[in-house]
Amino acid sequence: MEKPEKEWDKSMGFLRSVLALLGSVIGIVLLAGGACVFYAFRIEPYRLQVNEYRLSGGGEGAEEITVVQFSDLHIKEGFTYEDLDKVVAAINEQEPDIVVFTGDLYDHYARYHDDENIIKQLASIEADHGKLAIWGNRDHGGGAVRQYGAIMERAGFRLLRNENWCISINDQKKVLFTGVDDAMLGDPYVPDPAETEDSDYRILLTHEPDPVEDYSKYGYNMVLSGHSHGGQVNFPFLPQINEAALSATALAEMYSQGMYELNADGSSRLYVNTGIGTTHIPVRFGVVPEVAVFHIRL
């Protein structure tokens, strides 16, 4: 029979082993949590991915147009013109026919702006047939409303505010772009729907995605929007957190990110760009900033 002190020693040894193991597990959890926080604040918001899509416009011709979309820059003190270098480079690498910006240039203009450097960066974006922009809610608010139009014009962008703009591809196919005003702080409406009738492909630009239902009767082939940032976070196995993040952004709960079919035959689509910058909290996790590229055969 073992002595009581030996049994005690064994029990204490086992307890020490359990505590050591528990301490290791806690350490690993804290280390992993710290790494995730660092990644979410300091790494992912400064990453960039290019997402490409090949679409059929329903025609039988061999014409193709490349449209590049970027959105929601939210320029601020922690995300400046220097962070746009890779965005501009990624856009120009696509050799786009058309570049569209779907709103929210600054995060809060009155708190931080750097117009001259931002204009230089945006002006260096190249597109064969033109550069278009629309209004976002941040372009109306935060003191930006008096400056946004001039900034985009000086950068070579045509700012559409309830306006149509049409281009001809090789004198064969007509592509119509309609840009509507911001749904939260502006007065959006579709201008002269009759202009869409002789177009081979029709693209609507609207900052917020959820109001797409209001434009379904106009027969647009593609709707491009932003605003949602994809919620900025997408934690695996934690849908409640992801849903809460999306619910903090008005008019982006039904459509949050990526491609959506708006009708049964696939002739009308919505794309929600997750944007470049951040707002409220400067964090991204599982929602990498993006530039979207659409190769559309007409």
Side-chain angles (χ1 to χ4, degrees):
M1 182 174 179
E2 294 188 16
K3 293 182 177 180
E5 55 267 24
K6 288 185 178 181
E7 293 180 357
W8 173 258
D9 289 341
K10 284 184 177 180
S11 297
M12 290 303 296
F14 176 74
L15 180 59
R16 283 192 291 269
S17 298
V18 171
L19 291 175
L21 178 60
L22 182 60
S24 298
V25 171
I26 293 174
I28 292 171
V29 170
L30 292 176
L31 183 62
C36 287
V37 170
F38 180 81
Y39 173 82
F41 278 89
R42 302 301 302 165
I43 304 298
E44 186 165 306
Y46 302 95
R47 292 182 58 202
L48 182 69
Q49 65 183 15
V50 176
N51 295 319
E52 290 192 67
Y53 301 87
R54 297 196 174 275
L55 306 173
S56 172
E60 297 179 356
E63 304 300 327
E64 183 175 280
I65 182 174
T66 297
V67 178
V68 173
Q69 179 203 15
F70 70 115
S71 193
D72 297 88
L73 290 176
H74 287 268
I75 300 297
K76 52 178 172 286
E77 193 168 357
F79 193 88
T80 70
Y81 76 96
E82 294 177 324
D83 296 297
L84 297 186
D85 283 341
K86 60 180 177 294
V87 178
V88 172
I91 292 172
N92 288 339
E93 284 174 7
Q94 310 309 313
E95 300 182 353
D97 294 298
I98 298 291
V99 170
V100 299
F101 174 65
T102 43
D104 279 5
L105 178 63
Y106 282 102
D107 193 54
H108 194 296
Y109 187 87
R111 292 176 186 166
Y112 177 87
H113 61 272
D114 184 8
D115 293 352
E116 294 305 316
N117 282 318
I118 296 302
I119 289 169
K120 289 178 182 177
Q121 285 281 32
L122 296 179
S124 65
I125 294 175
E126 302 173 354
D128 290 343
H129 291 276
K131 302 186 295 189
L132 305 175
I134 59 170
W135 291 76
N137 57 298
R138 298 301 177 110
D139 306 316
H140 277 281
V145 67
R146 295 185 182 89
Q147 308 299 328
Y148 179 62
I151 291 169
M152 300 311 291
E153 181 180 352
R154 288 180 58 195
F157 282 75
R158 183 184 182 97
L159 184 59
L160 301 179
R161 192 173 190 176
N162 303 324
E163 296 175 71
N164 291 324
W165 185 78
C166 193
I167 65 167
S168 179
I169 303 298
N170 296 332
D171 296 324
Q172 298 292 321
K173 299 289 185 176
K174 291 180 66 175
V175 180
L176 178 78
F177 291 84
T178 300
V180 295
D181 200 0
D182 178 70
M184 292 177 64
L185 300 178
D187 180 25
Y189 61 87
V190 173
D192 194 3
E195 291 186 19
T196 68
E197 294 176 359
D198 63 346
S199 301
D200 297 287
Y201 199 83
R202 297 168 293 279
I203 299 175
L204 176 69
L205 311 177
T206 172
H207 182 63
E208 292 88 0
D210 284 1
V212 69
E213 307 292 338
D214 300 333
Y215 307 117
S216 59
K217 64 182 178 181
Y218 295 105
Y220 286 96
N221 303 98
M222 171 67 80
V223 182
L224 300 180
S225 69
H227 184 61
S228 72
H229 302 201
Q232 290 188 191
V233 295
N234 186 16
F235 293 105
F237 313 115
L238 295 173
Q240 296 86 353
I241 294 178
N242 304 331
E243 290 168 6
L246 282 170
S247 66
T249 304
L251 301 181
E253 294 185 56
M254 291 193 302
Y255 305 102
S256 59
Q257 62 177 303
M259 190 77 74
Y260 297 87
E261 301 284 350
L262 297 178
N263 54 18
D265 63 6
S267 62
S268 182
R269 299 179 177 90
L270 164 68
Y271 190 80
V272 184
N273 192 299
T274 57
I276 301 293
T278 61
T279 192
H280 302 307
I281 301 175
V283 60
R284 279 181 181 261
F285 190 91
V287 189
V288 178
E290 75 161 322
V291 166
V293 183
F294 306 96
H295 304 284
I296 305 169
R297 184 163 294 279
L298 303 171

